[in-house]
Amino acid sequence: MTTTEAARPAAGATAGRTASPAPARRLPRIRTVLVAATAYLIAFVFLFPYVEMVLTALRPQEELLKASYLPSVFAWENFTAFWSGGLAGNLLVTLQVAAGSTVLVLLVALPAAYYTARHAFRGRMAFLVLVLITQMFQPTALLVGIYREFFQFGMVDSIWSLILVNGGFNLAFAVWILHAYFSSIPRELEEAAFIDGNGRFGALFRITLPLAAPGVVTALIFTFIAAWNEFVVALTLTTTPERQPLTVALNSFIGQYEVDWQNLFAGSVIATIPVIILFVLIERKVVGGLTAGSIK
């Protein structure tokens, strides 16, 4: 073997090492810092009102107008006054209205969304557009008609009237969210369940609904929060203080000449906690439900 032939593999190896791709460049450090700083700034802007609400709820009456940001003494009695003042019953009414509206929406939206996703009947798109159009009507624009209707049926000052109204105004969003998620689930999975001996309902409850759990949870959380925060319809349809939701009952702390800021903010903090806990528990499925159908 000549010297030239022996040098060829070494030259090839050197060329291979030279042609290897360079490692990926890392993001500049300044860019990472700017992105993190912007994220913390946005989080601070959104969280600051809640921090101020908690601090005001813990501030004594004589320190409301002081320049100090933190109270010298934390007035925990503002929170205990919430329960002793009878607002616990209003909190229970709010929970009943929100839970009832959510159950009603899911009972109606699940079969409607599943049928429109699995059956290409004539007028399907027109039906979905009509459902979407109902979302354009705000409760405040229909208050007079809603009140007259429930007055004629003797359902004014009733929890059932609030459940029906909140369920009706949140139904369109739930139908569209669930329709998009059911459409993203392959039909072949249900057909395989049919071959295994399952009927339509068996395939629905054993295959489709477990896979559509993120969409169901998304409809659940948005309906629950909307019904929990509703104020105008509840203010119009309820007259007895004991039957009013918490959002209306908190309005009693706002007088003509003064505002009971401590109890108002203490009640607002207590009203916010259940929704925060619910959202934290199912936040991952909510993200999956909102992105359903966006990636094919």
Side-chain angles (χ1 to χ4, degrees):
M1 180 182 298
T2 63
T3 306
T4 305
E5 293 175 347
R8 287 176 181 172
T14 304
R17 289 194 298 268
T18 305
S20 60
R25 296 180 59 185
R26 295 183 178 179
L27 292 175
R29 187 174 183 82
I30 185 64
R31 180 179 177 182
T32 304
V33 172
L34 289 177
V35 170
T38 303
Y40 281 113
L41 178 62
I42 294 174
F44 175 79
V45 170
F46 281 96
L47 292 177
F48 180 77
Y50 294 95
V51 175
E52 182 65 26
M53 182 172 64
V54 173
L55 293 177
T56 304
L58 293 172
R59 195 180 296 274
Q61 174 70 29
E62 58 274 8
E63 295 188 15
L64 278 178
L65 301 179
K66 284 189 176 181
S68 60
Y69 187 73
L70 293 175
S72 59
V73 178
F74 293 107
W76 296 103
E77 61 271 14
N78 295 332
F79 288 92
T80 57
F82 175 89
W83 305 104
S84 60
L87 291 180
N90 301 107
L91 180 62
L92 179 61
V93 171
T94 304
L95 181 61
Q96 292 174 343
V97 172
S101 302
T102 303
V103 172
L104 177 62
V105 166
L106 291 181
L107 287 177
V108 178
L110 278 172
Y114 178 77
Y115 190 85
T116 54
R118 286 292 183 260
H119 299 276
F121 58 91
R122 180 179 297 179
R124 179 179 65 170
M125 186 53 61
F127 170 77
L128 292 173
V129 171
L130 182 62
V131 170
L132 186 61
I133 289 176
T134 61
Q135 194 74 11
M136 300 170 57
F137 298 99
Q138 295 299 318
T140 51
L142 305 174
L143 275 179
V144 177
I146 291 174
Y147 182 84
R148 286 179 58 85
E149 181 179 357
F150 284 109
F151 179 80
Q152 292 176 355
F153 284 100
M155 296 181 64
V156 175
D157 204 20
S158 170
I159 293 178
W160 292 106
S161 61
L162 300 180
I163 291 176
L164 291 175
V165 173
N166 283 288
F169 280 103
N170 291 285
L171 183 60
F173 176 82
V175 169
W176 271 87
I177 284 290
L178 293 173
H179 171 79
Y181 213 94
F182 284 138
S183 299
S184 66
I185 299 176
R187 296 173 180 264
E188 290 76 11
L189 296 177
E190 294 183 356
E191 294 172 356
F194 297 154
I195 295 175
D196 291 338
N198 291 284
R200 173 66 65 178
F201 287 100
L204 175 63
F205 287 102
R206 296 179 182 178
I207 304 297
T208 309
L209 279 182
L211 292 176
V216 176
V217 170
T218 302
L220 182 151
I221 187 64
F222 274 88
T223 303
F224 187 89
I225 292 177
W228 185 277
N229 294 329
E230 203 284 320
F231 173 76
V232 177
V233 174
L235 180 64
T236 305
L237 295 180
T238 56
T239 56
T240 306
E242 292 78 13
R243 296 184 179 181
Q244 291 177 338
L246 187 58
T247 51
V248 180
L250 289 177
N251 195 46
S252 62
F253 292 117
I254 303 176
Q256 184 176 0
Y257 300 105
E258 62 179 1
V259 179
D260 191 357
W261 291 109
Q262 300 96 315
N263 291 323
L264 177 62
F265 281 119
S268 300
V269 171
I270 295 175
T272 306
I273 291 176
V275 178
I276 294 177
I277 294 175
L278 178 63
F279 188 81
V280 168
L281 292 176
I282 59 180
E283 174 264 338
R284 293 183 180 179
K285 290 187 178 296
V286 171
V287 175
L290 288 175
T291 56
S294 60
I295 300 177
K296 298 294 184 181

